[in-house]
Amino acid sequence: MNVTVIGAGLAGSECAWQLAQRGIQVTLREMKPEKKTPAHVTEDFAELCCSNSLRSDQLENAVGLLKEELRRLGSLILSCADATRVEAGGALAVDRHGFAALVTEKIRSHPNVTVVPGEVTDIPEGEVVIASGPLTSDALAERLQTLLGAESDLHFYDAAAPLVSAESVDMDKAWMGSRYDKGTADYVNCPMTEEEYDAFWQALTTAQEAEVHGFEDKMVFEGCMPVEVMARRGHDTLCYGPLKPRGLTDPRTGKEPYAVVQLRRDNADGTVYNLVGFQTHLRFPEQRRVFSMIPALHDAEFLRYGVMHRNTFLNSPRLLDRYYRLKKEPRIAFAGQMTGVEGYVESAASGFLVGVETARRLMGKPPVDFPQETAIGALGLYISNQSVTAFQPMNINFGIMPPLGYKVKGKRNKNAALSQRSLDIIDQLKEEVLP
């Protein structure tokens, strides 16, 4: 029994691992290092192109629940993330290079995985999982277009935030701390007065953007919106988004600033930080000019500028079932962001489910019923819900899971109860799911 997995990103790596752990021979096709997309830098698998954060690790948050489900079920991505985590308050952030290197080493050393480099331009015969990602090469995208028809021709744009060297941040104008003093003091907080913010906002909203063919603000996914696009929605929009000052008290003044830019550690050594929420497609000189207006970053050394690239995704409710299989040709499955699950952890979860279910089908076993009460199940049911008329990429959230059926006082308590309900189900499924 052999399965070809196309793409060694988060979803493809997780899928290949789950298949291999169940005794299935996997041919993993990855076009790097022979060919890279504009967003990729290294030759490693599971490269994190945007942020190094896998978002909240708290069970009162839906993505925190999804992580815990995957941990309990033997996820490769979560085990590698936990092994390479860097401090980020209540979030799970990783040393991006250490994380990718560890995933790569695990995959390459597995006896049931054969890695074949080079671009895939056609769909192989036999069992195939297409996890080529939102930056699928033009040749394969054209082949998919032919296979799937006009329903596959959807896209939006994604953006990555700049990185700065830690030593270039003026700590006389910043302080270390986490919002509401939650967890450890892991973020560099760069405050701005109202006058400083106003000048920054004026410059940001009028700065020159890099040319991106076919770009329109309406085509930007809300969860990864360029900071300049968000700023254009209103003078104080950023103050309710990535620059919100709530829960951050400047120790020098004892007061809450008008706006705060947060920097999050990007590597284990703490020598590189990224500007949280500053995905952008401004021209590089404009990024330096405008972002240097943030007082603590007036002499910042930019190690990487923000970039913008096109992401493609399928009209999954019309094309895929709850196990991410192509309805009209079930030997072909999809995984990752191209299915409409948005986010690192969500991509890994889709790869996990595809790997588990493909292996079970090949072994003559029935599929595992991950119900909508679980985060893994809720994602699969969302992307295959034919009643969704205007399909858009979706992060995991409690809104796509059934309500409790009884009242719980307080949102955090309600979310904690939803998580506990899910984890009770996951624990019951563990014996069936684990290899």
Side-chain angles (χ1 to χ4, degrees), residues 244-306:
K244 67 180 178 183
R246 288 193 61 186
L248 296 170
T249 302
D250 189 334
R252 298 168 303 174
T253 65
K255 297 180 180 179
E256 188 176 274
Y258 187 82
V260 178
V261 176
Q262 288 197 305
L263 311 181
R264 180 179 57 233
R265 185 185 298 189
D266 202 77
N267 65 350
D269 295 333
T271 58
V272 180
Y273 277 77
N274 67 67
L275 280 65
V276 177
F278 270 63
Q279 302 91 346
T280 182
H281 69 123
L282 296 180
R283 296 186 61 193
F284 290 174
E286 291 288 78
Q287 291 184 43
R288 173 177 289 278
R289 178 180 70 85
V290 176
F291 299 156
S292 294
M293 294 176 69
I294 300 165
L297 302 183
H298 60 92
D299 290 325
E301 177 190 8
F302 287 84
L303 302 177
R304 184 195 72 188
Y305 289 106

Side-chain angles (χ1 to χ4, degrees), residues 73 85 150 154 187 202 215 254 257 260 265 294 346 370 420:
L73 296 175
R85 71 185 302 155
L154 298 174
Y187 290 82
Q202 294 285 352
F215 173 76
V260 178
R265 185 185 298 189
I294 300 165
E346 291 87 342
F370 285 96
Q420 189 57 56

Side-chain angles (χ1 to χ4, degrees), residues 14-84:
E14 184 70 62
C15 181
W17 180 261
Q18 297 304 327
L19 287 163
Q21 287 289 88
R22 288 160 176 80
I24 305 298
Q25 295 297 313
V26 179
T27 301
L28 181 59
R29 303 290 304 274
E30 169 55 50
M31 68 180 187
K32 294 192 302 182
E34 293 182 12
K35 184 175 181 179
K36 296 179 182 177
T37 74
H40 290 112
V41 177
T42 76
E43 297 181 2
D44 286 332
F45 302 159
E47 183 177 353
L48 304 182
C49 297
C50 187
S51 168
N52 72 317
S53 173
L54 278 67
R55 308 184 346 259
S56 175
D57 211 25
Q58 309 300 306
L59 287 178
E60 296 83 8
N61 189 294
V63 76
L65 167 62
L66 183 58
K67 290 190 193 73
E68 185 59 25
E69 290 182 6
L70 291 169
R71 283 191 183 99
R72 296 189 184 194
L73 296 175
S75 163
L76 170 70
I77 294 302
L78 261 294
S79 67
C80 291
D82 287 334
T84 57

